[in-house]
Amino acid sequence: MSCGRLGSLALGCLLLASYCGRGDAEANVEVSMPDVVEAEIGETAVINCEFSLPENSSYAYINWFSGENMARKRIISLIQDKENWAEDQYRDRLNIAKNFSLTIKKVTPQDAKLYFCQVGLGSLGVSENRTKLQVSKAPEAPEFQLAKDGWRASEPTLQEIATCTARNGFPLPSIVWYKNREALHPKDEEIGIYPTVITESSGLITVRSMLSSRVTKEDREAEFHCQVNYTLMGTNKTAVSESFKINVFYATKNLSFILDQPNQELKEGDNVTLVCEGDGNPPPEYTLFKTEDTQYLSPDGKLSFPSVMRNDSGLYWCKALDLHTFDELIASVDLMVNYLDVPTIFPAGTQEPVEGEDLVLTCSTTGSGPLKFQWQKKGKLIADGAVLNLTSITYEKMGNYTCVVTMPDFSDWVRSRHIFVAVRAKPQKVLLKQNLSVREGEVVDLTCSFYSVPRMNISWSTSNGTVHTSRRKYHHNSTLSVLVTKEILKSGLNCSGENEWGSENQHFPLRLKTKDHPDKTETITQDSKGVIIVAVIVFLLVFAILGAVLYFLHKKGKLACGRSGKQEITRPEAHKDEIVVEVKSDKLPEEAGLLQGANGEKRSPGDQGANAGLTLEQETG
């Protein structure tokens, strides 16, 4: 007989002796085990077995059993620190730890049972205890599947809504349905819930639940979801599915036809959409028309005008056909488009009245509401109303006039028209900023400029040099390039502008550049000339006062005098290059910079004299 078979025979005899001896000898050792051990499927379970030994003794063996009390079987033993498996199938998953605990690897649903730990002490007897192993696994997240694409409202019978499935859980999970966060329960002729349990080959459990319900129109807004309840490691847990809505079919009872912005006052150019909408699901078929002969293809019930015009105004109709009941509904909307035309001015075109004449300008236009007329010049309001009266036309009234039309109901809607008013009169000189400080023998360029409505001629006081003329609208320029001679320095140069209404002259006094500063020139504007004159007057006044004071002191004998007893105050001899200042006060035209001074500043009417023109800004030596 082999040693292995002898060992098995000896183990069997030892176990038999332990069973036989339990009734005759009372065990002197106490085994302690937990009542319940929780383990998650696929993980490792550890079942503790604790006991204490009397002094000077040791255990003879440890047996682990599984099953029920009357139908248990040995699964593993420990004798003299050596493990012995009852069946080879346990070798890969069962072990006895150093503290005599039973370790079960990769726990399965089949491992959920009672486990017994038996401790044998030879002649001292045998003792044991037991633990219940509970295993669990969380099911997969619940998923729903709709029974169909849509449900008709008010059907008399229950309709299948959806099925909820939670797969591979242990122990048996359960499914609860919710509508608008309230749990649903079976109810005759209202709600039906039908659960199904499937045990997989792995021992895991899949549960399904089908929900049936009567469907109403209000259910189109309801939210449904399902929830799975399960136990994991002794704790109750839940998992919920995504929420979903159902597509409820119901008949169209009401029809509306409105503007997409119902309170908007429309004007030409606005973007507007007419919207026809029924309250049924699915939506009815729409037919839009203005008259029987003008129908619009509009599956969605919308008619858009990207830039609405006045001709689009009118009454529009929408006809809707319900595809389930074949009922026909009709609605209408009145589209009103406001308009404001660009005004016209009579008389039309550029006006050229004679100086001193009157001119009446009339502005007119059409609009869908009350209109407000205003006249502006250079952005400033000059008159209210559609008619503008210009009396005694002068150069000051020349320029662009704008008729501005608004509708009070649309404050930001403006239409306008411009008209230019010119003046037929003798030429008006335009004084330009020019350098009049020259050297003898050099060539100087001088420009003579006039404003004139009728065509005109410009002539110079010298026949020498070359002349270049140009014209822009009513502005006439003549530029003279001439060699500077002593005669020209002495007399200066003149130009004359003449048209059918008269003539006007300009004078150019030339000055030699200073000897001390041959490259230095001075530019004197009309304003600077005025400052110089004021300074000279102040100086003369101070000088006169000083003379009076000196005379008074002399009479009183408080002022010492020379041999004659008098002190002569003489004026120093004027320098031959002294600047002579001429001040002009000219009347300035208004249009296209004619009111501009040499330094770009506008002149007030108080600066205007009898001879209209701009003062030349000169440079002198």
Side-chain angles (χ1 to χ4, degrees), residues 231-247:
T231 301
L232 181 65
M233 298 290 287
T235 304
N236 293 328
K237 293 181 176 292
T238 62
V240 298
S241 70
E242 294 180 355
S243 298
F244 64 90
K245 292 184 177 182
I246 62 175
N247 186 20

Side-chain angles (χ1 to χ4, degrees), residues 164-188:
C164 181
T165 303
R167 304 178 185 277
N168 299 322
F170 194 88
L172 178 66
S174 62
I175 292 177
V176 179
W177 284 97
Y178 286 83
K179 175 183 176 181
N180 294 332
R181 300 181 180 272
E182 292 186 5
L184 298 177
H185 304 283
K187 186 177 181 181
D188 292 343

